Amino acid sequence: MAYSIEKTGKTVQEAISAALSELNLSQEDVDIDVLEEGNKGIFGIIGSKVAKIRATVKEVETSRGDIASDFLYTILNNMGVEADISVNEDEESIVVDVNGDDIGIIIGRRGETMDSLQYLTSLVINKGYSDYKRVILNVENYRQKREETLIKLANRLAEKVVKYKKPVTLEPMNPYERRIIHSTLQGHRQVETYSTGEEPKRKVVITLK
């Protein structure tokens, strides 16, 4: 519910000025309803009425990108981590980039802590909304660097499978990383990939076609 106050003055403008001063806001930030116009009366004394207005603070809709940013700032402050957070939001997703010194703690082993923060942020920003927005959390460009590493790994292991004619099973990976392996080798002429096992220990297998 919007916050309102009522103020009086000799004139409407005086009442408005009193309200803005108390709220410490500019007139663009409030809606003004004039309750009493006020008048000077006879000789400026007899029958005079003060002006009365109601000032209502405009509600500013908070974007889900702002919600994500505020949530992560709170989490990182509680962890004692100082970082810069930038958010890019479109109709389908929110991309959050986090940069700073000594923030490896929020990446974790193979990005596990970062993935957990991403999941929590997704829960927070989608609560109460009918449509779902995907959250992509990237710390110190980790995801791009990890993707490059996985692409090189996939190609190297594919060569190994072709050379020794034996399948290779990779270490457990999250869905995002498994998709990179599958996508990299999707058009390979000699090998194919599939996933095996249960989460969170699901693995990618590279084998000859």
Side-chain angles (χ1 to χ4, degrees), residues 22 30 36 111 135 153 193 198 202:
E22 180 172 325
V30 299
E36 297 284 349
V135 174
L153 176 65
T193 63
E198 300 294 331
R202 197 160 171 78

Side-chain angles (χ1 to χ4, degrees), residues 97-104 107 110-111 114 136-154 156 173 176-177 180-181 184:
D97 289 300
V98 181
N99 295 283
D101 298 326
D102 301 322
I103 57 175
I107 296 176
R110 296 210 324 271
M114 183 176 63
I136 303 170
L137 177 60
N138 194 17
V139 180
E140 285 291 326
N141 212 27
Y142 173 85
R143 294 198 186 279
Q144 283 79 357
K145 295 175 183 176
R146 179 64 172 163
E147 181 174 347
E148 292 172 2
T149 298
L150 290 174
I151 290 172
K152 292 178 181 178
L153 176 65
R156 186 171 70 250
M173 294 180 179
Y176 165 77
E177 294 184 335
I180 293 173
I181 301 295
T184 300

Side-chain angles (χ1 to χ4, degrees), residues 26 32 68 75 84 127 132 156 171 184 188 193 195:
S26 63
I32 301 295
I75 294 293
D84 294 321
K127 184 178 180 180
Y132 178 84
R156 186 171 70 250
E171 62 181 2
T184 300
H188 201 287
T193 63
S195 294

Side-chain angles (χ1 to χ4, degrees), residues 110-208:
R110 296 210 324 271
E112 291 176 353
T113 303
M114 183 176 63
D115 287 339
S116 295
L117 286 173
Q118 176 176 284
Y119 174 71
L120 291 174
T121 304
S122 177
L123 291 180
V124 170
I125 67 103
N126 285 300
K127 184 178 180 180
Y129 288 87
S130 58
D131 62 317
Y132 178 84
K133 277 197 176 184
R134 182 186 177 198
V135 174
I136 303 170
L137 177 60
N138 194 17
V139 180
E140 285 291 326
N141 212 27
Y142 173 85
R143 294 198 186 279
Q144 283 79 357
K145 295 175 183 176
R146 179 64 172 163
E147 181 174 347
E148 292 172 2
T149 298
L150 290 174
I151 290 172
K152 292 178 181 178
L153 176 65
N155 288 321
R156 186 171 70 250
L157 292 180
E159 293 177 1
K160 183 177 180 181
V161 169
V162 171
K163 180 177 181 179
Y164 295 104
K165 303 188 185 307
K166 291 182 179 181
V168 171
T169 302
L170 283 72
E171 62 181 2
M173 294 180 179
N174 60 41
Y176 165 77
E177 294 184 335
R178 293 199 305 271
R179 281 195 297 271
I180 293 173
I181 301 295
H182 291 311
S183 177
T184 300
L185 299 179
Q186 187 174 15
H188 201 287
R189 291 181 298 174
Q190 295 175 280
V191 304
E192 59 186 2
T193 63
Y194 65 89
S195 294
T196 183
E198 300 294 331
E199 298 289 3
K201 295 185 178 181
R202 197 160 171 78
K203 307 173 182 179
V204 174
V205 179
I206 305 174
T207 185
L208 285 173

